[in-house]
Amino acid sequence: MEQLTNRILPVAGLMLPVLTIALLALLLADPFRSTRSFLIEANTLGAEITFDGGANHWDLGEAVLCRPLERIDLRAAPGSGTCDTRRFVESLEPVALAWNDDATITITDRGARGLSMRITGLAGLPDGSLVFLDRAQLAELGALSFVGHLVLGRSAQSGESGLLLSGSYEARERPLLSAQTETVKSGLLRSGESARILEDGALALTYGHVTLPEDPDQRGLHFVGVSAPGRSALEVSYFGGRAPNLIRPNWVDRALTSPLLIAGLFLLSSAAGQIQLLSSSFAWLTGKRAALGQDTAPGRPRQSGNSPRKTRRSWRKRRPWR
């Protein structure tokens, strides 16, 4: 039994580092994190949505609709309406937009003029059609939901009016052997940046909505979008940058935010402490038994407690002057 225990305890002590490394590899390895989603939230003066699947339907009520002319009439007067009459035919009518796949809308906040929406790829409307909507109308409509591909903000070049004002993002992943998602990385979006979510180099499918900001005095539109699970990354670009920045979680982010990893390391450290305690206790008991066995071994001379005194007396008898 002692020989078996002497073999098991050292092996267990050596296996703990191996198990720790294996646990770290399983919990932190990127190949097991295939269900990543990005949540992005921003206030922006401009955004672009390309619709893709889902029941995308916006009933805007009565709004100004401007259809582009087949030929631009530069000799005519611009007119005093919302749209330039040399380029558009303007009308005030109920606008209901049933978005088909690949239809694109570019939304820009025009301040006192309300919101302008430039539409391309929508069946029933010529490309380049414009819809103007008052902010009060959007407040009454509430949220306008969408399923598609989202781009927030535009490059901060001179004269650009569709800038991103502020925002934030979160990267959420589903760990191995877990049904819950974890926020493994988060950050802020700054004014003048442009952000979009990518999957394998293309725009990722995003579910979201657009509303007015909570503060009525704040300009811009409030966008919230969540990308579909996949191998996604957030691309952030800005004017003057050589290349866009790709943001995705790494093993350091997972190590700092994973409760499962923290719990696993705690259990391993507790097991290591117990093994060390058992090893020390067993070594002490083994040494104690060995010492007792040596004291009671046959043929070993045993000293008497009175031997030093007897030696002293015999030495005294041999002194001649005694």
Side-chain angles (χ1 to χ4, degrees):
M1 183 64 181
E2 292 182 1
Q3 294 180 354
L4 182 62
T5 306
N6 285 333
R7 293 178 180 179
I8 292 177
L9 289 179
V11 171
L14 292 175
M15 286 297 294
L16 277 177
V18 178
L19 292 176
T20 302
I21 295 174
L23 177 64
L24 289 173
L26 286 175
L27 296 180
L28 303 180
D30 189 70
F32 297 104
R33 303 284 182 131
S34 60
T35 57
R36 180 188 309 140
S37 294
F38 270 90
L39 183 147
I40 190 169
E41 184 174 1
N43 290 330
T44 179
L45 298 176
E48 181 180 285
I49 305 170
T50 301
F51 295 89
D52 184 5
N56 292 298
H57 184 86
W58 292 4
D59 190 355
L60 303 179
E62 193 172 75
V64 175
L65 176 60
C66 299
R67 295 179 174 87
L69 295 171
E70 294 183 1
R71 291 185 177 181
I72 300 174
D73 187 5
L74 297 178
R75 295 175 297 179
S80 58
T82 304
C83 297
D84 189 345
T85 56
R86 298 175 299 180
R87 301 174 182 269
F88 298 93
V89 175
E90 181 178 326
S91 63
L92 181 64
E93 58 181 88
V95 177
L97 305 173
W99 301 105
N100 51 267
D101 291 352
D102 297 327
T104 300
I105 180 173
T106 302
I107 306 177
T108 305
D109 184 5
R110 302 292 184 183
R113 296 177 58 190
L115 311 176
S116 69
M117 305 177 183
R118 187 177 186 274
I119 301 170
T120 57
L122 179 62
L125 278 180
D127 289 349
S129 297
L130 298 176
V131 176
F132 287 86
L133 191 68
D134 292 337
R135 293 176 67 87
Q137 289 179 267
L138 180 57
E140 293 178 1
L141 292 172
L144 297 176
S145 61
F146 62 88
V147 180
H149 310 289
L150 175 65
V151 179
L152 292 173
R154 293 190 282 273
S155 179
Q157 301 180 18
S158 298
E160 179 58 59
S161 58
L163 301 179
L164 186 144
L165 300 177
S166 62
S168 61
Y169 66 87
E170 293 181 1
R172 299 176 178 178
E173 292 183 343
R174 182 172 297 170
L176 187 67
L177 304 177
S178 177
Q180 304 295 326
T181 58
E182 300 173 355
T183 300
V184 295
K185 193 177 187 66
S186 61
L188 299 176
L189 299 174
R190 293 171 175 81
S191 178
E193 294 179 334
S194 178
R196 58 181 187 166
I197 304 173
L198 301 180
E199 182 176 1
D200 296 329
L203 285 172
L205 187 66
T206 302
Y207 300 84
H209 64 269
V210 54
T211 59
L212 288 176
E214 296 182 1
D215 186 356
D217 297 329
Q218 184 177 0
R219 286 193 62 193
L221 299 169
H222 186 72
F223 276 83
V224 176
V226 180
S227 66
R231 309 290 294 177
S232 55
L234 180 66
E235 181 186 84
V236 178
S237 57
Y238 53 93
F239 178 69
R242 293 184 178 180
N245 295 327
L246 283 179
I247 300 173
R248 59 169 63 94
N250 55 30
W251 69 271
V252 177
D253 300 316
R254 300 183 186 104
L256 294 176
T257 58
S258 176
L260 184 60
L261 174 64
I262 296 174
L265 292 178
F266 173 76
L267 292 176
L268 285 176
S269 62
S270 300
Q274 294 295 327
I275 291 176
Q276 181 66 27
L277 180 62
L278 289 174
S279 179
S280 301
S281 301
F282 187 77
W284 182 82
L285 290 175
T286 304
K288 191 69 174 178
R289 290 178 182 178
L292 292 175
Q294 291 178 1
D295 290 342
T296 58
R300 180 179 178 179
R302 301 182 62 182
Q303 287 187 344
S304 173
N306 297 328
S307 57
R309 186 175 299 177
K310 291 181 178 180
T311 303
R312 190 178 302 113
R313 289 178 180 177
S314 61
W315 175 78
R316 289 178 180 177
K317 289 180 179 180
R318 288 195 299 267
R319 297 180 64 177
W321 55 83
R322 290 285 184 180

